[in-house]
Amino acid sequence: GTSIEYKSNPPHSGPHYAVTAHAGAYDKAPEDGYLIHSLEHGAVILWYKEDMPKSDVGILKKIFDKMSGKTIMTPRKEMNIPVALTSWERILKLEKIEERKILDFYEANHNRGPENAPI
């Protein structure tokens, strides 16, 4: 429950809690400290702006379902862009939903965190 400030929005690395967030799609975002720990274990997170239209969230969910393993999809209230992906120390910000870029980021960065551990 400790407040942590990160250098990027959404965060891609830094201090974190002792427990990870589990893989899957969330309707309500877990605290950053859990998500960052998941990144350290090799997760890729697909973030979207919390007020994104439900139809666009549905499109993202279909793309997310093409990814497997250590993947998380979550809304983010503080986002200043519609969509972003993070892995440990890497970030991709998108002004619109671009399936190919999302899947390419996933392929290049999935399971590449400094700790090879489950989430």
Side-chain angles (χ1 to χ4, degrees), residues 1 6-8 10-11 34 40 59 70 72-74 76 81 84 96 104 115:
Y6 294 99
K7 296 177 183 178
S8 66
Y34 299 113
E40 186 180 40
I59 293 168
K70 300 176 190 176
I72 295 170
M73 179 175 159
T74 186
R76 183 168 182 81
I81 53 164
K96 61 183 180 177
D104 286 349
E115 294 182 6

Side-chain angles (χ1 to χ4, degrees), residues 37-116:
H37 197 166
S38 297
L39 293 176
E40 186 180 40
H41 286 198
V44 169
I45 301 177
L46 172 58
W47 311 78
Y48 60 93
K49 196 168 185 171
E50 187 177 78
D51 62 357
M52 178 177 275
K54 290 195 182 300
S55 59
D56 288 347
V57 174
I59 293 168
L60 283 176
K61 180 67 169 78
K62 287 180 181 177
I63 297 168
F64 177 76
D65 288 343
K66 294 179 182 181
M67 300 185 273
S68 63
K70 300 176 190 176
T71 55
I72 295 170
M73 179 175 159
T74 186
R76 183 168 182 81
K77 185 176 185 176
E78 302 86 15
M79 289 258 289
N80 56 5
I81 53 164
V83 178
L85 285 99
T86 56
S87 63
W88 187 256
E89 297 187 336
R90 291 173 182 82
I91 189 168
L92 173 66
K93 295 182 176 186
L94 299 171
E95 291 295 329
K96 61 183 180 177
I97 298 171
E98 296 183 67
E99 181 173 358
R100 185 74 264 144
K101 287 184 179 183
I102 291 169
L103 294 175
D104 286 349
F105 184 93
Y106 164 78
E107 290 295 329
N109 296 290
H110 182 250
N111 218 18
R112 297 197 185 235
E115 294 182 6
N116 186 13

Side-chain angles (χ1 to χ4, degrees), residues 3-7 11 13-17 32-34 36-37 88:
S3 178
I4 303 170
E5 288 191 35
Y6 294 99
K7 296 177 183 178
S13 59
H16 51 72
Y17 299 161
D32 288 345
Y34 299 113
I36 300 308
H37 197 166
W88 187 256

